[in-house]
Amino acid sequence: MTDTAIMIVGVGGQGTLLTSRILGYVAVNSGMDVKVSEVHGMSQRGGSVVTYVKMGDKVHSPIIEKNEADILLCFEQLEALRWIDYARKDASVIINTQKIDPMPVITGKAKYPENIIEKIKEDYPNVIAVLALEMARECGSIKAVNVVMIGVMARSIKVDKDIWIKAIENTVKPQFVDMNIKAFLAGYEQK
């Protein structure tokens, strides 16, 4: 297997850390080497956050440079726009359609950009827009947005679905396992 470089981008409170732990579990339990960066950015709720994950036969560093990400997993539209330069042109760009206003928009000093997904699609042919917030709500909790997104991404990574489910069972608090598996399957089975 060649290395797969994954960037997870979002805002604090969206579960980027849990997502990277699930990916790490999947890689190790599939016989891959994996490197995960620490979370970069303001991890307090609302601040921009990015995590790098590389998995494959032999990984030397988790750091991903511009135009290197094979998968850009975006939990929020503006974060997708902020980090899109790190994706290869043929990368899978998976974007949650959710918008979370940053502080300059909240205070009225800036406007949230329009048509972000459409603009990204002009340069990146493999964009998947996901109604992850709505799907997570239907599964029982809006906090499962990240796991819905993991489900969508899992189709791009050649690892058995059962390993993903086992990863969720081993990383999520027991009382939330069933709901998160439901969220994962909702994303995995999205057409």
Side-chain angles (χ1 to χ4, degrees):
M1 171 182 195
T2 58
D3 288 355
T4 301
I6 303 165
M7 281 185 66
I8 306 161
V9 301
V11 298
Q14 286 193 295
T16 56
L17 203 52
L18 175 62
T19 301
S20 64
R21 284 199 331 257
I22 290 172
L23 277 166
Y25 183 97
V26 165
V28 167
N29 285 278
S30 299
M32 292 183 256
D33 188 19
V34 63
K35 300 285 186 285
V36 178
S37 77
E38 294 182 11
V39 176
H40 296 277
M42 201 175 115
S43 59
Q44 290 84 10
R45 192 167 302 279
S48 180
V49 179
V50 61
T51 303
Y52 307 123
V53 178
K54 281 189 182 173
M55 52 204 310
D57 290 330
K58 185 66 182 154
V59 178
H60 299 285
S61 167
I63 303 303
I64 298 170
E65 302 293 338
K66 288 187 176 182
N67 302 308
E68 282 188 356
D70 299 298
I71 299 172
L72 187 62
L73 188 64
C74 312
F75 293 165
E76 195 275 337
Q77 286 191 44
L78 190 56
E79 294 305 312
L81 186 61
R82 184 184 321 264
W83 296 100
I84 193 64
D85 290 346
Y86 284 79
R88 294 187 351 221
K89 290 298 181 185
D90 63 344
S92 292
V93 181
I94 306 164
I95 306 172
N96 178 11
T97 58
Q98 183 178 4
K99 296 177 182 180
I100 299 174
D101 290 342
M103 195 53 66
V105 172
I106 292 169
T107 61
K109 293 183 179 173
K111 288 184 72 172
Y112 197 99
E114 295 181 14
N115 306 314
I116 290 173
I117 295 174
E118 292 76 14
K119 288 175 184 170
I120 291 173
K121 283 182 176 181
E122 289 173 8
D123 294 319
Y124 296 83
N126 301 317
V127 173
I128 302 169
V130 183
L131 298 170
L133 182 63
E134 291 82 355
M135 294 169 73
R137 185 177 288 121
E138 288 171 11
C139 292
S141 174
I142 61 170
K143 291 183 178 183
V145 163
N146 61 330
V147 183
V148 169
M149 297 294 287
I150 291 169
V152 175
M153 179 191 60
R155 294 192 319 246
S156 302
I157 299 174
K158 305 294 186 231
V159 172
D160 188 85
K161 181 169 65 171
D162 292 338
I163 293 174
W164 290 96
I165 291 171
K166 196 75 163 161
I168 292 166
E169 291 171 347
N170 283 281
T171 54
V172 173
K173 291 181 181 175
Q175 64 268 35
F176 302 119
V177 167
D178 290 342
M179 183 265 301
N180 277 282
I181 290 172
K182 186 175 179 183
F184 170 81
L185 293 172
Y188 192 86
E189 294 164 1
Q190 177 190 296
K191 300 292 181 226

